[in-house]
Amino acid sequence: MNTNFKSQHHPFDKSFRYISGEYPKDLHANLNLPGKFIKALENDVVNNKKINLRMDLLIMVGPDGDTITENTAINLEHQSTNLDEHKIGMIAEYKDLSKCRYHCPILSMIITGEEPKKQIQEFESTKSDITKPVFIYMDKEEIEKKLNNLETKIKNKKHLMNPEILDFGIIAIFTKDNEILESLCKLYNDSKYIKGKIRSDMALILDTMIKTRFKGNIEKIKELINMIEEEIEAAKRGMRIWYEEEFAIIEADHAKQINEKEAEYAKQINEKEAEHAKELAEKNREISQKENQISKKDNEIKELEDQRQHYKDKIDELKEKGKIDLETYNEINSVFE
């Protein structure tokens, strides 16, 4: 069982490292790497500071009559982001230490989904020691080519060799198109005639990539996982230790997504209720102000009515006492009508 990823927490790096550790020969064929595959090499080295350096894959290949003319070690490293100065420096140091350990030329290769021309191309340790990694660019065209090969063979129920089956994992890791990932899950579901450990391994890679690529889209995750759920469960039973140690973080993240969604929903409800309560309080305040204004107007009207009645009573009193004549009384009284 491959145990070379306990330091890896990024799902893309972790998934690729698992494939390269479990299937080095098949990966060599899948990626059409140079040379004739001989064997996988121990891929960790220690520098003079007692720091352990480990890349994704180190394999020994023999002459192929073309690129490789002598036994050579190929160091293959997956990059999910652009190669920076720090990382290429580590690759250069790893190359030198591996060369001393295995006493053969070292070919450094980078497999990436990012455009090579936008990345650092070389590292100069000294004027005579320059590391220039060979880039394997997994672009959209290459991914679609691999997907089309799977579609054709699965549709026609043709036998798939292990290097081709690895494309389920390779495509899942490198595609940036979620529609392609969906198509890949459907193809996997249609390829039930593929059996054995490699099928289970690809289920785990798909499981991880689905939960990573569709993070936050719980319904889509459920839909796609449902297609391969049987294989995922079988893989978990067969590889319990590895799965729990290396992929538990993805499961925890998935559970966290659900909790965050529920918390967000509860927050939205609380915010709506608070907003509604605020609006209601504002309306009640406005109504209260209107009622106060009406009450004030009613009091003003009552005071005016009382004053009117008071003056009218005075005029009537003056008329009865004969202190004003009828014509004056009528003229004054008309004001109150």
Side-chain angles (χ1 to χ4, degrees):
M1 181 181 296
N2 181 12
T3 58
N4 286 338
F5 349 44
K6 292 186 178 179
S7 62
Q8 295 294 319
H9 298 294
H10 194 288
F12 299 97
D13 291 334
K14 181 162 51 182
S15 297
F16 185 81
R17 178 160 287 193
Y18 182 76
I19 290 176
S20 61
E22 290 292 297
Y23 303 96
K25 183 176 182 179
D26 295 325
L27 185 62
H28 174 272
N30 178 286
L31 299 177
N32 196 28
L33 301 182
K36 293 183 178 180
F37 181 87
I38 297 175
K39 64 179 179 178
L41 300 172
E42 186 65 36
N43 65 340
D44 60 339
V45 294
V46 180
N47 64 16
N48 56 12
K49 295 179 182 179
K50 305 300 181 183
I51 297 174
N52 189 61
L53 300 180
R54 179 184 293 140
M55 298 294 167
D56 290 335
L57 181 67
L58 189 65
I59 58 175
M60 183 69 74
V61 298
D64 57 8
D66 184 14
T67 306
I68 304 299
T69 58
E70 60 182 310
N71 282 5
T72 302
I74 296 179
N75 166 38
L76 178 66
E77 179 68 5
H78 165 253
Q79 273 295 116
S80 54
T81 57
N82 283 336
L83 188 66
D84 58 20
E85 191 76 23
H86 173 70
K87 188 59 180 283
I88 196 171
M90 287 180 61
I91 291 171
E93 183 179 13
Y94 184 87
K95 178 197 73 173
D96 292 339
L97 292 170
S98 298
K99 186 175 182 179
C100 292
R101 180 176 182 178
Y102 292 107
H103 307 289
C104 67
I106 307 293
L107 175 60
S108 296
M109 304 186 75
I110 304 293
I111 181 167
T112 178
E114 305 299 322
E115 290 188 41
K117 65 181 180 181
K118 296 181 179 179
Q119 305 191 50
I120 294 176
Q121 300 292 312
E122 63 181 43
F123 182 86
E124 185 177 298
S125 300
T126 65
K127 290 294 182 181
S128 59
D129 185 10
I130 300 175
T131 299
K132 292 184 177 182
V134 176
F135 284 87
I136 301 174
Y137 180 29
M138 199 62 60
D139 60 4
K140 186 176 181 180
E141 183 179 349
E142 179 63 24
I143 289 169
E144 288 178 346
K145 178 182 175 183
K146 287 177 173 292
L147 184 65
N148 290 336
N149 179 63
L150 286 178
E151 285 178 338
T152 300
K153 292 204 168 183
I154 290 170
K155 180 180 179 180
N156 296 316
K157 291 184 170 51
K158 290 186 177 180
H159 178 69
L160 284 168
M161 303 293 288
N162 275 11
E164 295 173 304
I165 297 172
L166 286 187
D167 276 335
F168 281 108
I170 297 297
I171 294 171
I173 292 168
F174 286 97
T175 185
K176 296 177 182 178
D177 187 336
N178 286 351
E179 290 185 4
I180 286 180
L181 187 53
E182 286 190 60
S183 298
L184 198 62
C185 291
K186 292 173 183 175
L187 278 176
Y188 183 90
N189 193 42
D190 292 339
S191 64
K192 295 188 183 299
Y193 62 89
I194 298 174
K195 303 292 183 181
K197 179 179 180 297
I198 193 169
R199 179 173 179 81
S200 298
D201 287 346
M202 295 306 101
L204 291 181
I205 302 298
L206 286 171
D207 178 44
T208 303
M209 291 300 104
I210 289 167
K211 291 172 183 175
T212 301
R213 291 293 189 186
F214 291 96
K215 184 176 182 179
N217 190 344
I218 304 301
E219 292 305 314
K220 179 58 69 174
I221 289 174
K222 287 180 179 178
E223 175 191 335
L224 297 180
I225 293 297
N226 185 59
M227 292 184 190
I228 59 175
E229 187 172 16
E230 183 179 338
E231 284 83 359
I232 292 171
E233 291 305 314
K236 287 180 182 180
R237 289 193 297 271
M239 305 177 63
R240 178 66 63 185
I241 296 175
W242 170 78
Y243 187 87
E244 289 180 350
E245 289 183 353
E246 302 301 332
F247 279 75
I249 189 172
I250 302 298
E251 296 292 341
D253 188 54
H254 180 48
K256 182 182 176 184
Q257 290 176 41
I258 295 175
N259 291 335
E260 286 176 349
K261 283 291 181 183
E262 290 177 347
E264 180 64 25
Y265 180 71
K267 180 183 176 183
Q268 290 174 0
I269 293 297
N270 290 336
E271 287 176 349
K272 288 290 184 183
E273 289 178 347
E275 185 179 346
H276 179 67
K278 182 179 178 181
E279 291 176 354
L280 187 59
E282 182 65 24
K283 290 293 183 185
N284 288 336
R285 188 181 67 80
E286 292 176 0
I287 291 171
S288 179
Q289 287 179 343
K290 293 291 184 184
E291 288 176 344
N292 289 337
Q293 291 173 0
I294 292 171
S295 178
K296 184 178 178 181
K297 291 293 183 183
D298 287 343
N299 290 334
E300 291 174 355
I301 292 170
K302 187 176 183 304
E303 288 178 4
L304 291 173
E305 287 291 337
D306 290 344
Q307 290 177 9
R308 177 180 176 278
Q309 189 62 43
H310 172 74
Y311 289 121
K312 192 172 185 305
D313 290 344
K314 283 290 186 182
I315 293 169
D316 289 342
E317 183 181 342
L318 291 173
K319 178 178 175 293
E320 289 176 0
K321 291 180 178 181
K323 293 185 177 182
I324 58 173
D325 57 33
L326 181 60
E327 183 179 353
T328 302
Y329 171 78
N330 288 337
E331 183 177 347
I332 295 172
N333 198 45
S334 66
V335 175
F336 298 99
E337 294 178 351

